[in-house]
Amino acid sequence: MADIINLLPDNIANQIAAGEVIQRPASAVKELLENAVDAGATEIQLIIRDAGKELIQVIDNGKGMSETDARMCFERHATSKIKTIDDLFQIRTMGFRGEALASIAAVAQVELKTRMHNAELGTYLEIDNSVIKKQEPCQTAEGTSIAMKNLFFNVPARRNFLKSNAAEMRHVVDEFIRVAMAFPQIQFSLNSNSQNLFYLEKGSLKQRIIAILGQHYNARLVSVKESTDYMDVHGFVGKPETAKKTRGDQFFFVNNRFIKSPYLHHAIMNAFAEMIPADSYPLYVLFIDLDPAHVDINVHPTKQEIKFDDEKVMYAFVQAAVKHALAQFNITPTLDFELDPGIQQLDAVSKPFTEQQQAKSVNTSLYKSFTQANQAHTIDTNNSNLRHWKDLYEIGKSAPDTGSRAPREESPVSSTPVSSSLSGGFESRSSTASMIDERWQDTTIDQKVPVQVHQQYILSQIKSGFILIDQQAAHERILYERYQRALQDSPVPTQQSLFPQTLPLLPADAALITEMLPELQVLGYDLEPFGNNTFVVRGTPADIQSGNEQASIEGLLEQFKNFSTELKVNRREQLVRSMARNNAIPAGKSLSTREMQNIIDELFACSMPNAAPGGKYTYISFKLADLAKMFGA
């Protein structure tokens, strides 16, 4: 029988490995920037064309590579970081596995120029599909310049799965910010399609945060700094007023490596408990430094998910550090034990309590009620202040009721003795029913008026029984169809703001909004780019409450970025669904009778009133026959 197991050729093996490391242009950006940092660079330049699909180039002034190293760095598992197994548990560099450049060379056309500081000439390499096409000496600046062109040119299926340029650029900016935030002592710049998006000078961590996230954070950052023998935590958190409805201003770094940790994020949220709304996210940029032996960073190809040997200690320490920082800067509520100077001027404090005053106080009924046994509820009937209470009560009891509502009295049903209600048969039941009817005869309640249940559902009577409407799901369906019609032929009316607001956004969010501007304008948003990732909000859809413009756009962004569905929908559909979900009346909001009736009327005017866009039921009907069965009739 012939053998059937063979070794894969290197180029195919590299392409398979590249699927784990290089998933999109942003993945290559991360690896190339981290290599530049490891090379000891003090200036790093990132150049992007066509959101990285056409070109990703990183230029640094690091130590460069020799001719042999330049050739070897593209081999799989070729690394200068690990020589023994013990080195794997003492990693302090960004890259160490030797897979990044080999993976990049397997799915792109690569050009490398590098020169060491003490060398007269550098090395030029040209690689195509893991095959070296050219290697020769060249004149180049000290450091390394690596350019990868036409990403996934040889894997068309993977290239087809890439998102739009705006979406991919958002991921590229995210990776750039994460590396730049971790190393404020390095100068970074980002150029996209010949446009400078970032130029970050060397400086302190606070200066880097402000340069990336915006000048408006300058006076709103709280310093965090705690040290123990086990670990150190330092960085900044934002004051409660900086909390946003959208994620994006949250950064955790472990030994200068960006990580994603829902567990530690929960610790921060607990530290901010009761200071920010439950659906908001605080700003934080926190660095955790600890012995690499206590952390395993080799659990995920992107190294963004790591494991700690004692997560509970990490959780408690991070939470305590943030709470301490907020308390130090008087952010958390505190008790003020200092006496008000004005109290010292009161007679009760400044003047002596004479014996005559003491004797007078002892004889009062108020004093006796608190000093004599069982006298706490004593009422002095001789007190002139209480003398007329009985008359007032008698007047109130005998006064006729002039209001439209019946006087409040005990229910006839509850006041009837149990024995008589059981022995009286139909006669007692009919008399009780007539008393209840008389009680409600004078009311003006219309039985068909909708009723709100627990500020979440709307109960409405129909001929065959009644329906129970989910107010949020129903309003979401109404808005969804309204926005769909707007995109087709009838734009949503815009409510112009009396005072236009400026809306600063994260660079990634600004790129997303820029991509969606045409659709947003049709849907009623009047936005205009204002430079430096800022927009001017001149108007919002007419059905959005005035003054709520920023929260509306931030909520829309959050819904859009975290939109999930089993079906693959286009960007317009995703935007319409996100906008309907964000602007729908939430559960817990009290509605007037007119508002409830409007929801009912508009819901049943929809083309598909029975379900929200995501598939959730908008209402459930209850028939009289079914109700009778429930009661055993």
Side-chain angles (χ1 to χ4, degrees):
M1 185 176 178
D3 298 330
I4 59 174
I5 297 178
N6 300 305
L7 287 174
L8 284 172
D10 286 343
N11 62 326
I12 297 178
N14 286 341
Q15 284 189 11
I16 294 172
E20 297 180 353
V21 181
I22 310 300
Q23 300 171 351
R24 61 193 337 149
S27 307
V29 167
K30 172 183 181 293
E31 300 292 348
L32 295 179
L33 289 177
E34 289 180 347
N35 283 347
V37 170
D38 286 343
T42 58
E43 297 177 4
I44 300 176
Q45 182 181 5
L46 173 62
I47 300 172
I48 299 293
R49 296 287 182 275
D50 196 19
K53 299 173 185 176
E54 180 184 335
L55 172 69
I56 299 173
Q57 184 175 10
V58 173
I59 304 171
D60 68 68
N61 64 345
K63 58 187 177 183
M65 290 182 284
S66 66
E67 183 179 356
T68 303
D69 286 345
R71 171 65 183 82
M72 284 293 295
C73 72
F74 289 100
E75 297 294 332
R76 286 195 70 195
H77 306 306
T79 177
S80 63
K81 316 293 176 55
I82 300 174
K83 293 182 173 60
T84 67
I85 190 64
D86 294 333
D87 294 337
L88 191 60
F89 303 102
Q90 293 295 327
I91 297 295
R92 290 192 178 274
T93 55
M94 303 303 291
F96 59 89
R97 289 197 292 246
E99 291 179 315
L101 292 180
S103 298
I104 289 172
V107 292
Q109 297 163 333
V110 180
E111 292 182 2
L112 172 71
K113 293 181 180 180
T114 183
R115 179 166 75 90
M116 300 181 70
H117 286 243
N118 56 357
E120 293 184 1
L121 290 175
T123 302
Y124 172 80
L125 272 138
E126 188 177 315
I127 303 176
D128 191 337
N129 196 15
S130 297
V131 178
I132 296 179
K133 299 292 185 179
K134 185 185 294 186
Q135 179 175 350
E136 60 187 21
C138 71
Q139 285 284 353
T140 185
E142 294 179 348
T144 300
S145 169
I146 181 168
M148 53 176 293
K149 303 176 181 179
N150 302 321
L151 182 64
F152 299 139
F153 78 100
N154 54 351
V155 194
R158 193 172 297 168
R159 188 177 179 91
N160 290 337
F161 273 95
L162 294 178
K163 305 295 184 184
S164 66
N165 281 3
E168 293 298 341
M169 193 61 200
R170 181 163 58 91
H171 290 288
V172 168
V173 170
D174 281 342
E175 294 295 350
F176 174 83
I177 286 175
R178 290 165 183 171
V179 178
M181 192 78 82
F183 300 95
Q185 71 278 13
I186 300 176
Q187 174 188 306
F188 285 89
S189 65
L190 170 57
N191 182 288
S192 174
N193 296 331
S194 302
Q195 180 183 1
N196 289 321
L197 298 185
F198 287 97
Y199 183 79
L200 306 173
E201 292 281 5
K202 306 173 187 177
S204 65
L205 175 59
K206 185 175 183 180
Q207 290 172 330
R208 181 57 54 89
I209 294 173
I210 293 170
I212 292 175
L213 301 183
Q215 189 65 34
H216 58 285
Y217 284 113
N218 190 18
R220 300 179 180 180
L221 296 177
V222 176
S223 176
V224 178
K225 189 172 180 61
E226 297 288 344
S227 298
T228 66
D229 294 337
Y230 181 77
M231 61 181 287
D232 297 336
V233 174
H234 70 278
F236 292 90
V237 295
K239 294 181 180 180
E241 62 264 27
T242 65
K244 294 182 178 179
K245 299 287 185 183
T246 58
R247 299 178 180 92
D249 291 349
Q250 295 78 39
F251 299 88
F252 263 123
F253 300 91
V254 173
N255 294 342
N256 279 359
R257 183 189 305 278
F258 174 81
I259 67 162
K260 295 179 180 178
S261 175
Y263 189 68
L264 293 182
H265 173 75
H266 190 269
I268 302 293
M269 296 299 289
N270 269 351
F272 275 90
E274 299 181 2
M275 286 188 284
I276 61 174
D279 59 346
S280 296
Y281 302 92
L283 157 71
Y284 58 80
V285 181
L286 293 178
F287 290 78
I288 299 173
D289 297 323
L290 74 165
D291 189 336
H294 295 305
V295 58
D296 182 7
I297 59 176
N298 195 29
V299 298
H300 193 271
T302 64
K303 301 184 284 291
Q304 289 185 0
E305 298 175 15
I306 65 177
K307 291 289 185 182
F308 300 102
D309 60 358
D310 195 337
E311 289 188 332
K312 292 183 179 179
V313 170
M314 302 290 297
Y315 184 99
F317 190 77
V318 169
Q319 181 178 343
V322 174
K323 277 191 172 182
H324 187 209
L326 294 172
Q328 275 187 320
F329 286 85
N330 297 323
I331 305 299
T332 55
T334 57
L335 291 175
D336 186 7
F337 292 101
E338 295 184 4
L339 191 62
D340 186 350
I343 295 177
Q344 300 291 341
Q345 307 302 321
L346 297 177
D347 289 349
V349 177
S350 61
K351 295 182 180 180
F353 193 37
T354 64
E355 293 182 1
Q356 183 180 0
Q357 290 174 327
Q358 291 179 23
K360 185 178 179 180
S361 299
V362 167
N363 293 326
T364 62
S365 59
L366 181 63
Y367 178 86
K368 292 178 181 178
S369 68
F370 283 97
T371 55
Q372 297 179 13
N374 303 321
Q375 296 297 310
H377 302 289
T378 295
I379 298 177
D380 186 2
T381 57
N382 295 322
N383 192 328
S384 60
N385 292 330
L386 302 174
R387 193 169 298 161
H388 302 292
W389 278 101
K390 185 176 181 181
D391 297 339
L392 183 63
Y393 171 75
E394 294 294 342
I395 293 171
K397 186 176 180 181
S398 60
D401 181 26
T402 57
S404 61
R405 297 176 57 185
R408 187 173 179 178
E409 58 184 13
E410 291 188 24
S411 170
V413 177
S414 62
S415 62
T416 304
V418 176
S419 58
S420 63
S421 65
L422 291 175
S423 62
F426 291 103
E427 181 180 352
S428 62
R429 289 180 61 185
S430 62
S431 62
T432 302
S434 64
M435 293 175 68
I436 296 175
D437 290 341
E438 289 176 1
R439 183 180 178 187
W440 292 102
Q441 272 180 357
D442 296 334
T443 62
T444 57
I445 296 177
D446 181 357
Q447 293 181 351
K448 293 186 179 180
V449 170
V451 178
Q452 191 175 24
V453 181
H454 290 289
Q455 296 183 332
Q456 186 171 359
Y457 302 101
I458 300 171
L459 188 149
S460 179
Q461 181 176 314
I462 57 177
K463 289 182 179 180
S464 60
F466 68 90
I467 57 174
L468 199 60
I469 301 171
D470 185 319
Q471 66 185 42
Q472 184 171 0
H475 198 221
E476 191 176 329
R477 162 55 63 180
I478 294 166
L479 293 178
Y480 172 77
E481 296 203 4
R482 184 184 302 170
Y483 297 150
Q484 284 282 31
R485 290 192 300 270
L487 289 176
Q488 292 171 3
D489 51 15
S490 53
V492 174
T494 299
Q495 176 179 260
Q496 294 296 327
S497 301
L498 186 60
F499 301 102
Q501 295 185 6
T502 56
L503 179 65
L505 295 173
L506 292 172
D509 290 344
L512 188 59
I513 285 286
T514 302
E515 180 187 15
M516 298 189 299
L517 270 180
E519 288 91 349
L520 288 174
Q521 289 172 351
V522 175
L523 293 171
Y525 285 97
D526 186 359
L527 299 176
E528 183 180 330
F530 198 58
N532 197 23
N533 303 316
T534 304
F535 291 81
V536 176
V537 185
R538 301 190 183 279
T540 53
D543 55 357
I544 292 179
Q545 185 178 357
S546 179
N548 204 30
E549 294 86 354
Q550 181 169 348
S552 170
I553 296 173
E554 288 181 353
L556 172 61
L557 277 170
E558 181 68 8
Q559 289 287 353
F560 188 88
K561 290 190 295 185
N562 296 282
F563 183 85
S564 60
T565 178
E566 295 179 0
L567 302 174
K568 186 175 179 62
V569 298
N570 59 34
R571 193 187 72 205
R572 277 197 165 196
E573 176 71 10
Q574 183 178 343
L575 174 60
V576 169
R577 290 194 185 188
S578 300
M579 192 167 166
R581 189 173 303 171
N582 180 62
N583 294 337
I585 295 172
K589 182 176 180 180
S590 181
L591 302 176
S592 67
T593 302
R594 184 176 180 181
E595 288 173 330
M596 288 187 283
Q597 192 62 55
N598 285 342
I599 288 179
I600 295 171
D601 295 341
E602 292 187 42
L603 175 63
F604 288 99
C606 291
S607 60
M608 190 183 295
N610 59 320
K616 183 179 179 182
Y617 287 124
T618 56
Y619 69 90
I620 300 175
S621 61
F622 295 84
K623 295 184 178 180
L624 288 174
D626 295 333
L627 292 175
K629 290 179 182 178
M630 292 180 186
F631 285 100

